[in-house]
Amino acid sequence: MSKKKINILTAASSLIFGVIIALIVVQYSKYEYLSDLTNGLYKDNSVYFKVNDTDEADRIMDKLSYNEVIFGEINDDYRAVYFNKRYSLPMKKGRFFRKGDFKENNNYVVIGSEHESSVKQIDGRNIFNYEGVDFEVIGIVGMDIASPLDKMIFFNMKNVEKYMAIEDTLFVLSTNNKNSSAIDNADIQIYDVPVVGVHRVINYKVAVFVIAYCCVALTLFCVVSLLYMYLGNQSNKIKAYGIMGFRRSYIVYNIFKEQLKYILVPVIVGAAIFSLADGRLYIGISHIIFMIMMIALLIVFLLIILERKIRNILRSGELFYD
């Protein structure tokens, strides 16, 4: 097969690899949102509790770990929210809360799309009035389909504590660890609330991700096979480099540099296009980092394959001419 055809097939396989990586990330993110959403936005191991005063609530909030979120249920669809590190929801417009929003003790609010008609423009700001108090809208939550998020409203917990009857508020610590250190020695009354949610009846991870990872393996096999074909096509050139005294690392670098545009660029393009087209509501910083790590692992794996194959070609020691 000609060098041009090999490069075209390599680029196509790499593009598919990028799409599959993005597919895994987007579908996993959708599953997580769907699973949490059907359980009221809470993780399986969430702790439901009440406190006697705001000081106890503040102490618990200050001890939250990076993946924990605390909600205060104002009613079924209206929640006060606080987190120490990062938390996100699918956004149709604007953004969700950031850590700095809680420190500033502002009156920001994030609303579902069903409440958008109640927003008023006042002095260039989007204002939502709740029980006579004006809140500034910074974002609108929602999925690409109708969902319970459309009815929800999220308040800055640090700002609405003064509007909440703390002793009557049910707090929910959304966590993966039932024995979270945030509630160690806390003076709270814990309530037993049954877990609900779609994940109890649908093992979506097994159904989708086994197939997805098989696709990754098959696509990776295609990329590696095409790389082997390319190296076979370039074997005389590689041997010539060896005879001229070039170091193996230099040969690996130059060959890899030639192939990089046919591997790395299509992978990035495939992942970016699929993420923007199908997953823009669900892709966060952690998902982008995961995709970068997957691409980096692909590059490292291909470099190892390349180095081993080039070493074998150089050891063969003879020049063959087409």
Side-chain angles (χ1 to χ4, degrees), residues 161-199:
E161 280 182 331
K162 53 182 173 287
Y163 306 120
M164 299 165 62
I166 290 295
E167 64 278 2
D168 295 327
T169 300
L170 180 65
F171 289 92
V172 183
L173 174 61
S174 183
T175 177
N176 292 317
N177 180 13
K178 199 80 172 177
N179 300 312
S180 169
S181 60
I183 55 174
D184 278 351
N185 303 315
D187 183 18
I188 59 176
Q189 298 85 49
I190 295 178
Y191 293 81
D192 185 18
V193 177
V195 175
V196 296
V198 69
H199 65 284

Side-chain angles (χ1 to χ4, degrees), residues 1 6 28 44-45 49 135 162 197 208 214 298:
M1 188 181 295
I6 293 174
Y28 180 80
D44 291 357
N45 290 317
F49 64 94
F135 294 89
K162 53 182 173 287
V208 172
C214 286
L298 169 67

Side-chain angles (χ1 to χ4, degrees), residues 115-318:
H115 302 285
E116 193 170 1
S117 59
S118 300
V119 175
K120 297 179 180 178
Q121 280 276 337
I122 301 176
D123 297 330
R125 299 185 305 161
N126 295 318
I127 300 299
F128 178 80
N129 186 278
Y130 176 68
E131 294 192 350
V133 181
D134 286 340
F135 294 89
E136 182 178 354
V137 179
I138 60 171
I140 298 175
V141 292
M143 304 176 73
D144 47 4
I145 57 173
S147 75
L149 282 176
D150 299 334
K151 299 179 181 180
M152 291 186 171
I153 298 177
F154 298 91
F155 298 90
N156 175 351
M157 186 176 291
K158 289 290 187 178
N159 184 61
V160 297
E161 280 182 331
K162 53 182 173 287
Y163 306 120
M164 299 165 62
I166 290 295
E167 64 278 2
D168 295 327
T169 300
L170 180 65
F171 289 92
V172 183
L173 174 61
S174 183
T175 177
N176 292 317
N177 180 13
K178 199 80 172 177
N179 300 312
S180 169
S181 60
I183 55 174
D184 278 351
N185 303 315
D187 183 18
I188 59 176
Q189 298 85 49
I190 295 178
Y191 293 81
D192 185 18
V193 177
V195 175
V196 296
V198 69
H199 65 284
R200 297 176 305 120
V201 292
I202 303 175
N203 199 340
Y204 188 74
K205 289 182 181 179
V206 173
V208 172
F209 296 114
V210 168
I211 297 172
Y213 285 115
C214 286
C215 290
V216 167
L218 288 172
T219 310
L220 187 59
F221 175 78
C222 291
V223 173
V224 172
S225 298
L226 289 164
L227 183 61
Y228 264 72
M229 291 176 66
Y230 176 81
L231 292 173
N233 188 282
Q234 299 294 302
S235 61
N236 284 349
K237 178 181 177 180
I238 293 168
K239 291 173 184 176
Y241 275 141
I243 290 172
M244 288 186 287
F246 288 103
R247 296 175 65 87
R248 189 166 72 240
S249 58
Y250 173 85
I251 301 171
V252 170
Y253 169 75
N254 278 276
I255 295 294
F256 188 71
K257 187 172 66 174
E258 290 177 10
Q259 283 298 96
L260 196 60
K261 59 179 176 291
Y262 300 110
I263 298 174
L264 184 59
V265 174
V267 167
I268 294 174
V269 170
I273 289 175
F274 187 88
S275 298
L276 290 172
D278 189 61
R280 62 182 181 83
L281 297 176
Y282 307 95
I283 297 294
I285 293 175
S286 60
H287 305 116
I288 294 172
I289 291 172
F290 175 79
M291 285 192 281
I292 292 173
M293 289 175 59
M294 290 289 287
I295 293 171
L297 286 173
L298 169 67
I299 298 303
V300 170
F301 178 71
L302 293 179
L303 273 171
I304 294 171
I305 295 292
L306 191 64
E307 195 278 336
R308 289 172 62 90
K309 180 63 176 177
I310 288 176
R311 181 175 58 187
N312 290 336
I313 291 174
L314 292 174
R315 281 179 176 174
S316 66
E318 297 181 34

Side-chain angles (χ1 to χ4, degrees), residues 58-76:
D58 288 338
R59 280 192 289 271
I60 293 172
M61 285 188 272
D62 291 340
K63 293 167 65 178
L64 294 180
S65 68
Y66 77 97
N67 63 344
E68 294 180 328
V69 186
I70 189 168
F71 295 93
E73 295 193 341
I74 299 171
N75 63 36
D76 288 343

